[in-house]
Structure formats: C-alpha cells, structure tokens
Amino acid sequence: MLGVEEPSKVTEAAQVPQQRSEPLLDAAVRYAEERHWDVFPGTWLEAAGGGERCSCGDAGCVLPGAHADRPDWAGQATGSGAAARRMWTRQPRASVLLPTGRAFDALEVPESAGFLALARMERMDLTLGPVTRTPDRRMLFFVLPGGGAKAAELVRALGWNAEAIDLTGRGEGCYVAAPPTRVGGRGAVQWARRPTHANRWLPDVDELISPLAYACAREAADARARTS
C-alpha cells in the first residue's frame, strides 16, 4: 500500500469504485432503510433553452439541482423508507440530501487532499466510513455525530488553521448531497468509499483528523509554492 510520500501514485492506491446508475428514489429509500439515515428532497434540474437550470429559478445558482428548496428542510427530513418513497414519487428528479448532525457528521476537504489522506489511512489500516466525491472536486468523510463541531479545534491542536488549509466540518444545521445527485452539468456526486456493512460503524473525528489535516496542509503548501 502506498502512502502520501508518493503523490504521483495516490489515486492508484485510493481508487474510486466503479459507480452504478441508480434512480434517485431508489437511492433515497435505500439510505433510509439500510443505513437509517434521514433524507430529504432538494432542488432538481429542469430543461431550459437547450440546457438545464435549477428548479429554484436562480440563473446564477451555485449548486444547480443540489441544494435545499425550502427553509424548513430540517423538519422535512425523514428516516422512513415509506415516507421517502412518497416524497420522491411526487418529484422523482429531486436531489437526495442528507442532514448532518444526526446519524453522522462530515469532514470536507479538497479532492486532491482527500486522495492523499485515503492512501495514508489505508496504509495505517484506519477504519473508514463512507466517503463522497463531488463534481466540484471536494471529498466528504463521514464520521460520528459531533465531529464537525470539533474539527477546527482539533486541527488547531495539530498546529494548523482549519480555514487556511481548507478543512471544514459539517454538523448540525448542515447537509450533504448524496449519490447519485447531479450538480448541474458538472456531473454527479459519487462514492469514493460506498456504504457497506463493513463501514456501518463510523469512525470518530479524532481518528481521521491527523491524516486529513496533514494532507490538506501539504496541498495548501504546494498550491502556495505553485503561485509564488
């Protein structure tokens, strides 16, 4: 297994599994029934002028078809497969969104740093939860609830500033887009590590923060070097 010391081979060491096509309704029901995750439907993509636009109507929408479509989204989220089926039956194109701060929190990092961290975690034989990869080149590592709020302080204890190295914790009051949600014409959210029986038990933030912070700091330093 290769570690972060060999960045040219990182993506080989931490490959993204082949994705299978799945209707949004089926995915939402499966997350609720198999993982006991709360789900709620967000915006969707609509045909417009030969292209697509977000159902929110904002021509400059930064997350077209992949964000909450109402301010009370938190109260709409459900862990019932039957309720999820009813909601997506009404709007089959709605994005699948998962609130953080309930069954899990998420640590968000740049994709390049995420792959570096994955390779190092595999070398360390760390337990990993599910990990998503967005078309905006971000990766989100699922951890136990409460981890999002602790992330910045844990990074500070390691000698870095979380904002400066682009590591963000998502907890209560936030949500993540789940596969196979599509973000405009950029592509779909994918699993870098898909949910399985083996990763049903999530890691604590303390277990992942060091390799993630190291990878983010390294990528931030490389980016500064490229622009200097």
Side-chain angles (χ1 to χ4, degrees):
M1 186 66 64
L2 299 176
V4 294
E5 291 79 6
E6 300 179 72
S8 63
K9 298 182 181 179
V10 165
T11 53
E12 182 180 33
Q15 293 178 350
V16 174
Q18 183 175 0
Q19 306 294 299
R20 62 186 177 89
S21 178
E22 181 179 32
L24 292 157
L25 183 153
D26 291 348
V29 171
R30 184 166 55 82
Y31 296 147
E33 292 183 343
E34 295 183 10
R35 300 297 292 202
H36 305 294
W37 290 341
D38 283 1
V39 299
F40 69 97
T43 54
W44 57 91
L45 296 171
E46 298 177 330
E52 292 178 312
R53 69 177 179 188
C54 185
S55 62
C56 72
D58 181 0
C61 181
V62 296
L63 290 172
H67 64 87
D69 69 344
R70 47 194 287 182
D72 62 341
W73 61 264
Q76 187 187 20
T78 178
S80 163
R85 185 174 298 278
R86 287 194 298 271
M87 288 192 288
W88 269 271
T89 296
R90 289 195 294 267
Q91 181 44 261
R93 293 177 295 165
S95 51
V96 180
L97 305 179
L98 312 174
T100 49
R102 300 186 184 187
F104 64 88
D105 279 6
L107 301 177
E108 180 182 344
V109 300
E111 181 185 85
S112 53
F115 276 121
L116 284 171
L118 273 177
R120 189 179 190 202
M121 291 171 183
E122 289 174 345
R123 182 180 180 180
M124 296 167 67
D125 200 27
L126 292 181
T127 299
L128 285 171
V131 182
T132 62
R133 178 192 189 196
T134 78
D136 297 316
R137 302 182 65 82
R138 309 288 293 178
M139 292 177 76
L140 293 102
F141 291 71
F142 289 22
V143 296
L144 288 172
K150 295 163 57 178
E153 183 58 37
L154 290 172
V155 171
R156 189 177 301 112
L158 292 170
W160 292 297
N161 176 280
E163 183 176 357
I165 64 173
D166 201 7
L167 189 158
T168 305
R170 293 200 196 183
E172 187 175 357
C174 300
Y175 59 83
V176 300
T181 295
R182 198 155 56 87
V183 186
R186 302 171 213 167
V189 180
Q190 299 182 351
W191 289 113
R193 288 292 181 274
R194 77 171 57 250
T196 65
H197 180 74
N199 63 24
R200 183 173 295 276
W201 302 106
L202 300 177
D204 190 83
V205 63
D206 303 75
E207 301 173 60
L208 305 189
I209 200 69
S210 179
L212 281 173
Y214 172 85
C216 287
R218 174 171 172 167
E219 286 297 291
D222 288 348
R224 288 193 298 271
R226 288 192 296 269
T227 58
S228 62

